[in-house]
Amino acid sequence: QLSTIRYGIVIEENVRMKSFPMLASKTKLLLGKYLNFRIKKCIENWCNISVGNTTGWIQKNRFWGVFEKEII
């Protein structure tokens, strides 16, 4: 059976995971290229993700795993 859990892969070095889906928001983590993470929710240009026990927001154009206009 297929899983409903979605995953993404960072496609650039030093991608910033933010506290909120805004560029001005505090950076929680710097993510390295090829890092795998769980996608929890996506809005227009941002997705809420989890890396280990840390959750935050990442811009959609910084990773592979969702379509440009996809809402989850």
Side-chain angles (χ1 to χ4, degrees):
Q1 177 165 329
L2 295 176
S3 173
T4 58
I5 299 172
R6 299 279 300 266
Y7 292 92
I9 302 171
V10 177
I11 58 173
E12 300 174 8
E13 285 292 342
N14 297 320
V15 173
R16 296 174 188 274
M17 176 196 283
K18 301 288 193 168
S19 297
F20 299 97
M22 301 177 297
L23 289 175
S25 180
K26 178 183 173 186
T27 298
K28 293 180 84 172
L29 286 176
L30 283 179
L31 308 177
K33 192 172 184 177
Y34 306 122
L35 176 81
N36 294 308
F37 56 85
R38 183 175 175 183
I39 301 168
K40 301 178 79 177
K41 175 183 178 175
C42 290
I43 57 176
E44 188 174 327
N45 296 312
W46 294 82
C47 288
N48 185 259
I49 67 167
S50 63
V51 178
N53 293 327
T54 305
T55 60
W57 292 86
I58 183 175
Q59 290 176 288
K60 282 185 178 177
N61 62 352
R62 303 286 188 232
F63 73 94
W64 178 89
V66 295
F67 293 107
E68 183 179 346
K69 301 292 182 185
E70 187 172 7
I71 305 295
I72 297 175

